[in-house]
Amino acid sequence: GQLRYLHIKKNTAAVKCGDCGTSLPGIPTLRPVDYARISKPQKTVSRAYGGSRCATCVRGRILRAFLIEEQKIVKKVLKQQQEDQAKAAKKETKPAKKANKSKK
């Protein structure tokens, strides 16, 4: 027969989560050129950070952001309480001014 050559494509690697490195479920394993040929809904998952981060990491990010905001609120409330206590303590310790009687 005739001499022919066979072009063997490179193996594809699954899309990985940017935080933990696990492969993302729901996203096909293709070469980069093939990703350009498929539609957007096939490349992503309908979630925040879909197609970039796994669900566990997204859940952790949301929880972390919520707890940071809660911590800011708690700090603010504690600071306000300390200021109120300081004002109350200042009022109690402050003696009443005596009326000066002028000498004649």
Side-chain angles (χ1 to χ4, degrees), residues 81-97:
Q81 285 177 349
Q82 286 177 348
E83 288 175 1
D84 291 345
Q85 285 177 354
K87 285 180 183 178
K90 218 174 194 182
K91 283 183 179 180
E92 289 176 10
T93 58
K94 200 174 193 182
K97 288 187 176 181

Side-chain angles (χ1 to χ4, degrees), residues 37-51:
R37 292 186 189 128
I38 63 173
S39 63
K40 179 126 181 159
Q42 292 176 319
K43 291 184 249 187
T44 61
V45 180
S46 58
R47 183 194 326 113
Y49 296 99

Side-chain angles (χ1 to χ4, degrees), residues 2-78:
Q2 293 183 344
L3 184 62
R4 306 214 182 238
Y5 67 94
L6 178 66
H7 179 72
I8 299 171
K9 292 184 177 181
K10 291 182 184 177
N11 288 336
T12 57
V15 180
K16 303 272 195 295
C17 172
D19 289 346
C20 63
T22 58
S23 60
L24 297 175
I27 297 169
T29 305
L30 303 170
R31 294 299 298 166
V33 171
D34 297 329
Y35 278 117
R37 292 186 189 128
I38 63 173
S39 63
K40 179 126 181 159
Q42 292 176 319
K43 291 184 249 187
T44 61
V45 180
S46 58
R47 183 194 326 113
Y49 296 99
S52 172
R53 304 288 186 264
C54 68
T56 313
C57 293
V58 172
R59 190 180 303 125
R61 281 173 179 237
I62 292 169
L63 190 62
R64 192 179 314 120
F66 173 75
L67 291 175
I68 288 170
E69 289 300 316
E70 285 293 311
Q71 192 176 24
K72 286 179 186 175
I73 292 168
V74 168
K75 271 186 177 178
K76 195 174 181 181
V77 169
L78 287 174

